[in-house]
Amino acid sequence: MRRLRIEKLRELVRETELSLNDLITPVFVDERISSKVEIPSMPEYYRIPLREVAEEVGKAMEMGLKSFIIFGIPAKKDEIGSSAFGKNDVVQKAVKEIKKAYSDAVIITDVCLCEYTSHGHCGVVRNGKILNDETLPIIAKTAVSHAEAGADIVAPSGMMDGMVSAIRKALDLEGFEEVAIMSYSAKYASNFYGPFREAAESGYSFGDRKSYQMDFHNRREAIREVELDVEEGADIVMVKPALAYLDVIRDVREKFNLPLAAYNVSGEYSMVKAVEKMGWMDSKALAYEILVSIKRAGADMIITYHSYEIAKLISNV
Ligand code: PBG
């Protein structure tokens, strides 16, 4: 076995390659701030004010990053998340600004209500219950408003049943047949989202998300979730989180032929950055190895907060 492990031959026989083409960079746009704010539990990651968002994307593009997923933090929240779908709300404005300056950037928008509702849940709430069908028209409207602003791909992340078909129908009806859907198909109720909820201020005021996000003890159920999204018209499916779910990524890879995204979530990032702070391991090398393992498991693309570091690392090679 060692014959092919000499340095000169190693790249020739390499099975998995990580490229900047595979990476999707999250962008948190905050309507209430006027300069960048670092997220305490996500060192070197920032909430960005609207007026700097295009510039921020431009900097990333210069580093070789091409795709971005936009999350909004609105000035106002209410029961049904009204600031999620207005023409002049935070995500819609951000997408327009970015598109105006960088039309070749791939812009994905996260479609969910949790950043916009006063209770912080991903759907409409009545009597302490998160309602499924009442939520669908609101997410569909949100997706259409993102498409109108210029999004290339909309990414519903709320784990409501039927969300993909509701969005597909609404997009087609409004003339956005070309806008693709990346569905957070197998999204688990995970402890790894903690830092994101701080970043997006999307923590919930009661209960938890276990009535709509998946139970992490389950593996076969992920296949059923993906199957439904494929039937409903998803163009790209996703497994989330990534690192503790490599078995699920592999399962989905083997059973479906759609492009597969994996979300290397906030808690996965924070763990690596915590190690960096402690000086216990080489955190850049660690991040690279983690992302390669997610690709090796079968992901075609990865949403990751490490993309800036990886861009520096790869382009220096
Ligand atoms: C919810 C959403 C979440 C993430 C992306 N979209 C959080 C949640 O479900 O609580 C998590 C991302 C991360 O942890 O990096 N719309």
Side-chain angles (χ1 to χ4, degrees):
M1 294 310 288
R2 292 185 54 190
R3 227 173 276 139
L4 300 180
R5 274 179 211 148
I6 61 167
E7 198 174 354
K8 197 164 74 172
L9 294 185
R10 237 175 268 154
E11 286 186 356
L12 180 69
V13 298
R14 185 163 281 175
E15 300 172 32
T16 310
E17 209 72 63
L18 186 68
S19 144
L20 298 188
N21 293 337
D22 309 324
L23 304 185
I24 301 168
T25 305
V27 179
F28 295 110
V29 193
D30 192 332
E31 204 174 17
R32 308 158 308 172
I33 56 175
S34 49
S35 52
K36 280 166 94 162
V37 179
E38 192 173 20
I39 300 153
S41 54
M42 299 176 73
E44 290 164 61
Y45 227 84
Y46 297 83
R47 286 187 276 122
I48 313 290
L50 258 170
R51 60 161 196 209
E52 280 174 31
V53 71
E55 186 188 327
E56 192 66 24
V57 166
K59 269 191 243 157
M61 288 184 77
E62 255 165 51
M63 296 172 77
L65 300 165
K66 300 171 180 173
S67 304
F68 304 87
I69 182 162
I70 316 295
F71 295 95
I73 301 128
K76 272 189 255 119
K77 305 190 187 222
D78 63 21
E79 274 289 306
I80 64 153
S82 309
S83 332
F85 49 76
K87 229 186 170 58
N88 289 316
D89 281 327
V90 57
V91 169
Q92 292 78 358
K93 274 197 192 152
V95 172
K96 270 185 230 151
E97 290 290 317
I98 298 167
K99 280 279 153 153
K100 205 163 53 184
Y102 301 98
S103 57
D104 48 346
V106 175
I107 300 302
I108 306 167
T109 55
D110 183 82
V111 177
C112 195
L113 299 183
C114 62
E115 293 113 284
Y116 307 91
T117 51
S118 40
H119 43 72
H121 278 289
C122 306
V124 176
V125 172
R126 197 178 305 138
N127 300 330
K129 267 197 177 156
I130 292 88
L131 305 179
N132 194 87
D133 294 4
E134 284 79 349
T135 302
L136 297 179
I138 307 177
I139 346 186
K141 202 162 149 180
T142 303
V144 168
S145 74
H146 292 175
E148 269 165 359
D152 301 293
I153 303 177
V154 293
S157 64
M159 287 298 278
M160 295 295 128
D161 291 330
M163 64 183 184
V164 172
S165 72
I167 289 174
R168 185 71 271 157
K169 275 186 204 131
L171 286 175
D172 291 353
L173 201 68
E174 301 293 332
F176 297 108
E177 297 91 345
E178 285 175 9
V179 172
I181 300 175
M182 171 194 275
S183 180
Y184 286 67
S185 306
K187 175 174 177 178
Y188 286 87
S190 170
N191 297 296
F192 285 97
Y193 305 150
F196 173 94
R197 289 175 188 164
E198 181 181 88
E201 295 186 14
S202 64
Y204 34 78
S205 55
F206 69 90
D208 55 37
R209 297 206 166 134
K210 292 180 184 158
S211 75
Y212 43 108
Q213 299 181 347
M214 286 179 59
D215 179 352
F216 59 74
H217 301 82
N218 297 351
R219 181 172 163 189
R220 292 189 305 264
E221 191 188 349
I223 300 298
R224 297 189 53 219
E225 281 284 1
V226 174
E227 245 161 32
L228 286 166
D229 281 0
V230 173
E231 269 170 35
E232 290 180 29
D235 302 284
I236 301 169
V237 292
M238 194 197 299
V239 172
K240 181 186 171 187
L243 188 54
Y245 296 80
L246 296 178
D247 56 331
V248 182
I249 294 174
R250 170 56 35 191
D251 276 353
V252 174
R253 165 77 302 135
E254 282 173 3
K255 297 206 168 64
F256 300 91
N257 290 321
L258 271 78
L260 171 59
Y263 200 141
N264 175 225
V265 301
S266 57
E268 299 174 49
Y269 173 83
S270 298
M271 287 199 303
V272 172
K273 298 308 271 187
V275 161
E276 178 171 54
K277 265 210 167 115
M278 297 305 288
W280 285 346
M281 281 186 270
D282 175 348
S283 70
K284 307 278 185 274
L286 206 56
Y288 177 77
E289 185 175 335
I290 289 171
L291 295 184
V292 168
S293 78
I294 295 168
K295 276 211 81 183
R296 198 183 62 231
D300 299 301
M301 59 194 98
I302 308 170
I303 303 176
T304 181
Y305 306 96
H306 289 297
S307 59
Y308 296 95
E309 295 162 284
I310 297 297
K312 282 189 205 143
L313 197 73
I314 294 184
S315 50
N316 287 343
V317 176

